[in-house]
Every structure is written in structure tokens, then in C-alpha cells.
Amino acid sequence: MVDTALPLRQRARRPTPAELDAIPWLKLLDGPLRERALATLEVGDAQPGERLCRIGRPATFWFGVVDGLLKMNNDDSLGQAVTFTGVPPGGWFGEGTLLKRECYRYNIQALRPSIVAGLPIDSFHVLLDGSIAFNRFVLDQLNERLGQFIAARETDRIHDPDVRVARNLAALFHPTLYPGVGSWLRITQQELGYLVGLSRQRVNQALHRLSDAKLIRIEYGGLRVLDLQGLRRFGT
DNA sequence: TCATTAAATTGTT
DNA sequence: AACAATTTAATGA
């Protein structure tokens, strides 16, 4: 397993226009603040299994997913590994840690080859200080994530694998947290298995149940959500 | 552009 | 876990 303490520093690129387009909050900025963001944004590639940040490291970046899929989990060196959530394109995380200027409290690792953007902590605070719209974005982000974690606590108590898959999928399609995810989510059944904590076979079985219920459509290399509300309610 | 091959992903036991 | 079937991606004419 590759451990890169400062992945974006070492292999940083300038973001391409297409990559910038995948950063939702950039559209909220203009003038000098936008210039500041553009000047300090970095992007880098992450390979599957690669850790972007680890528990205990000083928080230096606000991270966002441009393409690919990441997962957020606790430390697996002691006890059971618990995946908190997956982070699809358009998702940004670490703002709570940056606000308090603390160390990361979770690991982030890539589930498949991904493109990750990073905004340095200094720029993050400059944007917070100067832009109401940016504050609003971060506030919504925090609020929605809080709700998601509360929902995740309930989901973890559920032992029915079909329901767990449905709830996790609904979380991945969250429109506020992950505006980059359309109705089409590119995730393999293997990746979903890692995320939910089930075998690929069981995920396959669950997906077919959800497909039979007309909630999703299974496609090669991913799936399409037909009924997000139905996914949230599935099994209740 | 098309045919062939390799790789990835899904479906099933 | 293993295997077959299917889809996509890569290659070269």
C-alpha cells in the first residue's frame, strides 16, 4: 500500500479547464477570490488503495473529487474497519478539520484511479473570510454531511444487506453533497462491496432486487438511479 | 473504420 | 471462491 504524506505536493498538476468545471464551488466565486482559488488549486492522481490523508496528519488541504471514487474510513490497524462514506465526483471533505486547524480524524483512500483536487488551507480561509457564497457552500456541506452521518448510524444497525445497499446508494447520490453525480453513477459492484462491507456476490444479488423494484437500472460498470426517494425508503 | 485480442465487469453456482 | 458470459478498451491493418 502506497503511503504518500503529501501527494498533491509531490505530483501536483495545474487543473485543466475540464477539471475546474467539476469543482462546484468555483462557480460561486469571481474577482480576486476566484483568482486566488485558481492560482492555488492543485490536482493529482490517486491510485486504488492509495491514502490521501491519514488520521493524525496535520490538515493542509481541502480535498475534492474531480473524477473517480474515494472512501472515508476509520483506522483499520486496530479493531474493525468501518467505512463512513464513499465520496464520488463533486464531493469535498475535510472542511470541519480545516476550520479547527486540527489533524485529520479519518483516512481517505481511493477505490479506483481518481483525480483529486486540493485547495491549500490558507486559501480556504481566505475564501471563507471574503465570500458569503463560499461560506454558504461550506455551511450547506457541513449540514448535509451531519445529516448523512446520522443516517449512516441507523444504516449500520440494519442487517438486511439489500437495505444497506439501497441506503448507501441513496447517500452516494446526495445532490447537495455530490452535485457531480448525475443519475448515472460509475461504480462497479466490487467497489460497492468494499464500500458497504459486503461480498460482490451479495451486492450483485441486492442490486437485482433493487432493479426488480424499478429503483435502479444495472448497467455495465455502474448503475442508474430511477427513484432516489424509493431507494431511501426501501425496506421501511 | 473494422476485425481481433486483451482486460474488466457481471452473472451464476 | 471459481468459472462462464458479456461488455468495453486497445491494437493494428
Side-chain angles (χ1 to χ4, degrees):
Chain A
M1 181 124 2
V2 190
D3 176 24
T4 48
L6 294 168
L8 294 179
R9 282 257 183 273
Q10 289 164 1
R11 290 168 296 130
R13 300 194 309 262
R14 302 307 311 156
T16 67
E19 288 165 346
L20 291 177
D21 205 45
I23 299 175
W25 48 264
L26 210 48
K27 301 167 180 57
L28 305 174
L29 301 174
D30 52 18
L33 289 179
R34 183 182 172 85
E35 293 307 312
R36 170 70 186 251
L38 290 174
T40 54
L41 264 173
E42 302 177 6
V43 294
D45 294 288
Q47 297 309 308
E50 192 172 328
R51 287 191 163 95
L52 295 171
C53 63
R54 314 190 63 177
I55 294 174
R57 298 254 186 217
T60 48
F61 282 99
W62 190 38
F63 287 112
V65 183
V66 171
D67 191 37
L69 185 68
L70 311 180
K71 73 169 177 179
M72 185 183 296
N73 60 11
N74 72 340
D75 197 335
D76 55 2
S77 62
L78 294 169
Q80 192 185 7
V82 176
T83 295
F84 296 141
T85 183
V87 190
W92 284 74
F93 54 89
E95 63 279 339
T97 308
L98 287 179
L99 282 171
K100 292 177 286 184
R101 295 184 182 272
E102 285 180 340
C103 298
Y104 292 117
R105 296 169 173 234
Y106 40 76
N107 295 317
I108 296 283
Q109 56 185 141
L111 283 175
R112 64 161 170 262
S114 304
I115 300 174
V116 180
L119 183 72
I121 183 170
D122 293 339
S123 291
F124 179 76
H125 279 102
V126 167
L127 297 183
L128 272 186
D129 291 341
S131 168
I132 299 281
F134 188 79
N135 272 274
R136 182 74 199 197
F137 180 90
V138 174
L139 188 61
D140 286 343
Q141 181 97 2
L142 281 167
N143 187 36
E144 294 292 348
R145 202 182 294 288
L146 177 63
Q148 195 180 41
F149 278 122
I150 290 174
R153 293 201 48 144
E154 297 176 13
T155 302
D156 282 341
R157 289 183 213 270
I158 297 171
H159 293 302
D160 181 358
D162 297 336
V163 178
R164 294 191 50 148
V165 171
R167 297 288 170 82
N168 275 275
L169 279 180
L172 282 177
F173 274 95
H174 198 296
T176 303
L177 284 178
Y178 311 126
V181 182
S183 72
W184 159 254
L185 179 65
R186 189 164 201 311
I187 185 172
T188 66
Q189 299 178 4
Q190 177 73 73
E191 291 165 344
L192 198 50
Y194 284 135
L195 206 56
V196 184
L198 296 171
S199 69
R200 182 177 70 78
Q201 293 92 321
R202 194 59 188 80
V203 168
N204 181 272
Q205 189 180 339
L207 288 180
H208 277 282
R209 297 242 173 91
L210 299 176
S211 178
D212 290 344
K214 308 288 185 205
L215 301 177
I216 63 171
R217 179 160 48 231
I218 302 172
E219 296 177 19
Y220 186 88
L223 50 89
R224 194 171 298 279
V225 168
L226 305 177
D227 182 356
L228 183 54
Q229 288 303 322
L231 269 185
R232 294 207 179 96
R233 293 197 200 108
F234 185 81
T236 63

